[in-house]
Amino acid sequence: MNSTLTGAVAIYLTQVRAELSDLPPGELEDVLQDVTDHLTEVAGEFDAEPTLSDLQVRLGTPRQYADELRTAAGYPARTEPVSQDYLTSGWNALRWGLIAGTVGPFFVAVSIFAWSSDETAFFGLLGLGVLFVAAFLGVRALNGNDPRIVLDTPRGAQWATAVRGWIDQVPPNVRHELVTIGQPVWWVARGMIGAAGFFALFGAISVTVVGAIAGAAVSIWIGRRTQQDRRWLWYVVPLNVVAAVAVPAFLAAAYVGASFGFLDNYNHYRGSGPNYEPPTKGVVVNGTAVSNIYPFDAQGKQVTVRLYDQDGNPISMELQDCATNYGQESRDTTSNLFPQAVVVPDENGYSSPEDCKETTKAPFVPPPAPATRTAPTPVAPSATPTSGATLTVKPTR
Amino acid sequence: MDTSQLLKGVLDLAVLAVLRDADGYGYDVLRRLRAAGLEDVADASVYGTLRRLFQAGALTSYVQPSEEGPHRKYYGLNKTGHDLLARSTKTWNHFADTMSVLLEEEAA
């Protein structure tokens, strides 16, 4: 008797319960036990688990079902407090819902197409903030009434009729396919992209993939919850509008490999995020990696030198000559002999293994030798810098 | 004329009739009504009718485990139920006869 219902049957039962909620509690529980038993039997008539629309074809809508039950059981007709208060609540809830569904998504859309990461974060948070606050106020405006009261307001009824008109233009079989196939696909897509976008927004790239999977799961759960508790619509519909903007934007950008707005910012984060490592090997001068050293003597003539640090360790760099670039045999690939030979590209800017040229000539015009100062310590000329550059060697950082 | 409209008036009688010989649970009552030819009967109305007859004291109710599925709530006629069935049958027969005569006169 206490069988636990799942899926569409559970949703149908919840909706019947809502229709009968005005019955005295004891009577309500008894009659719902009957309904539970009945739905269990009806579910058994189907080969597979029935969908909500299967149940509606078989039993009528939950409201029709509840009305039949009510009439046959001799319960009093449903009492609906059609008062001014009630209409005001419905209209307020509807209005907040509209703000949540338009203003919030608008700012989020601005954020997606914004040009800087600061704007993306600002408009993204503003949009989501407006969305959630308006949705919260909308649910609060319901004043504990059933969310369906918005359909009893004149404007709400008018819009509902218009929407139903559009839906009716879709052939029933297409509608059925859209709901049974399209809905789960949509739930997964909006969850993955929503979560991935959220994590990317805050630069947490490493958890984006896990976040996307978790987002899909949360999205499915929210979808199921919303079918049972319609108050979630105040949050879910605006978020769906956001997703309807974001999903195509992401897919289009992924397809054409575009880098604009949000995606550009995303790449920017990727470059300077936690994955970015400053160079820890080689020679660094004022934070910039040095790839070659061209020594000149006091007369401005280029010379060849071997460099050592204060402990006598060679200051070596990776070789960049032809043998390193194209050679087959393994060899010692670092040297402290400067200048190192580098590959000379041909006139088209290319170089090839067959015809590789290299040079040790400085790729710049040597600056004029500085005026020879009256050296205070002529005994140790090597300790006197002969050029203006400050060389710092940082083997690690 | 829509059978479902007629059914509303006589569903009590139909439900009592199918429970006369053997007790049954809700879905079983529904199946017996359909098998007897009342295909238009609405599921929820049958459950509602059982509920009302039970509250009116015409039915007994007990839960019985079933081999293949969940426990089921069976309904059966008690003394009041049998009396109600007998009275309702008389009323129905009288009404049906009257209608038949009326319709024959109209046709003649």
Side-chain angles (χ1 to χ4, degrees):
Chain A
M1 253 183 57
N2 291 320
S3 55
T4 314
L5 301 185
T6 55
V9 179
I11 295 163
Y12 194 92
L13 177 68
T14 310
Q15 292 177 354
V16 171
R17 172 193 281 271
E19 294 292 341
L20 297 174
S21 57
D22 58 310
L23 296 181
E27 181 64 25
L28 179 64
E29 290 315 310
D30 281 354
V31 74
L32 284 175
Q33 187 56 59
D34 286 353
V35 176
T36 306
D37 293 349
H38 180 216
L39 292 178
T40 308
E41 301 277 5
V42 169
E45 296 172 4
F46 295 88
D47 294 331
E49 194 177 311
T51 65
L52 211 50
S53 58
D54 287 338
L55 290 175
Q56 298 208 357
V57 169
R58 171 71 178 75
L59 300 170
T61 64
R63 173 169 277 196
Q64 286 166 344
Y65 183 99
D67 284 349
E68 280 171 11
L69 193 67
R70 189 186 286 276
T71 311
Y75 298 137
R78 182 179 30 220
T79 47
E80 279 186 289
V82 184
S83 66
Q84 197 52 45
D85 269 7
Y86 159 89
L87 289 180
T88 310
S89 296
W91 175 234
N92 282 337
L94 190 57
R95 234 173 5 186
W96 283 119
L98 279 175
I99 291 170
T102 52
V103 180
F106 171 77
F107 284 125
V108 175
V110 169
S111 133
I112 290 174
F113 296 100
W115 292 105
S116 77
S117 49
D118 284 348
E119 285 172 32
T120 296
F122 174 74
F123 284 109
L125 290 176
L126 178 66
L128 290 177
V130 170
L131 190 156
F132 280 106
V133 168
F136 173 77
L137 291 172
V139 171
R140 226 180 50 162
L142 284 173
N143 252 334
N145 287 303
D146 189 290
R148 212 179 275 111
I149 62 169
V150 300
L151 299 179
D152 294 327
T153 62
R155 204 68 66 83
Q158 197 183 328
W159 290 337
T161 312
V163 169
R164 205 157 291 148
W166 297 335
I167 293 174
D168 285 344
Q169 288 182 355
V170 181
N173 55 336
V174 176
R175 230 183 297 160
H176 185 253
E177 296 287 310
L178 276 178
V179 171
T180 51
I181 300 169
Q183 183 169 280
V185 170
W186 169 245
W187 284 356
V188 169
R190 71 177 184 190
M192 293 188 79
I193 292 188
F198 183 80
F199 285 115
L201 181 67
F202 294 101
I205 305 305
S206 49
V207 294
T208 297
V209 174
V210 181
I213 294 166
V218 170
S219 170
I220 292 169
W221 181 77
I222 290 175
R224 305 292 295 239
R225 282 293 307 167
T226 308
Q227 286 180 335
Q228 296 178 37
D229 185 348
R230 308 310 275 177
R231 280 177 305 177
W232 283 65
L233 285 174
W234 265 260
Y235 296 97
V236 171
V237 170
L239 285 172
N240 270 340
V241 175
V242 169
V245 175
V247 172
F250 270 75
L251 292 182
Y255 181 69
V256 300
S259 176
F260 64 89
F262 181 76
L263 288 157
D264 193 36
N265 303 333
Y266 172 87
N267 289 332
H268 170 73
Y269 274 114
R270 191 157 50 182
S272 64
N275 291 343
Y276 174 76
E277 292 288 326
T280 55
K281 289 164 81 177
V283 178
V284 176
V285 174
N286 296 334
T288 306
V290 173
S291 70
N292 207 346
I293 294 170
Y294 294 95
F296 290 83
D297 66 11
Q299 279 68 45
K301 181 173 164 287
Q302 189 172 336
V303 292
T304 301
V305 296
R306 286 191 182 276
L307 295 182
Y308 296 90
D309 68 7
Q310 67 286 344
D311 298 323
N313 298 316
I315 299 173
S316 300
M317 288 185 190
E318 299 277 334
L319 288 171
Q320 308 160 60
D321 56 4
C322 287
T324 309
N325 278 314
Y326 302 114
Q328 300 291 326
E329 72 276 20
S330 63
R331 53 194 278 255
D332 189 10
T333 57
T334 63
S335 165
N336 70 333
L337 184 65
F338 295 99
Q340 290 186 356
V342 293
V343 176
V344 184
D346 64 13
E347 59 274 13
N348 296 321
Y350 297 109
S351 67
S352 67
E354 295 80 28
D355 182 25
C356 182
K357 296 191 189 71
E358 53 188 38
T359 181
T360 56
K361 191 177 175 296
F364 53 89
V365 178
T372 312
R373 283 180 288 169
T374 48
T377 52
V379 191
S382 65
T384 308
T386 53
S387 88
T390 313
L391 175 69
T392 56
V393 178
K394 301 180 178 175
T396 53
R397 208 188 77 153
Chain B
M1 192 171 191
D2 192 355
T3 330
S4 60
Q5 289 297 316
L6 288 173
L7 263 172
K8 278 179 186 160
V10 293
L11 194 54
D12 286 21
L13 181 55
V15 167
L16 289 171
V18 298
L19 286 175
R20 181 181 50 206
D21 297 325
D23 295 353
Y25 54 94
Y27 194 69
D28 187 33
V29 169
L30 193 57
R31 264 199 308 229
R32 290 189 208 170
L33 290 170
R34 294 240 162 87
L38 298 175
E39 281 100 0
D40 287 346
V41 72
D43 289 46
S45 326
V46 172
Y47 280 86
T49 302
L50 283 168
R51 185 98 207 123
R52 186 164 41 77
L53 290 172
F54 173 72
Q55 293 206 323
L59 300 180
T60 57
S61 167
Y62 54 95
V63 171
Q64 186 162 304
S66 77
E67 307 87 58
E68 76 268 30
H71 296 193
R72 279 167 172 152
K73 186 155 72 173
Y74 277 74
Y75 291 99
L77 296 194
N78 56 17
K79 177 85 173 53
T80 315
H82 279 290
D83 290 350
L84 181 61
L85 176 60
R87 273 203 315 279
S88 299
T89 306
K90 263 186 208 152
T91 312
W92 169 257
N93 285 338
H94 178 69
F95 178 74
D97 287 349
T98 310
M99 282 302 290
S100 299
V101 171
L102 178 67
L103 292 173
E104 270 167 33
E105 280 173 0
E106 289 286 313

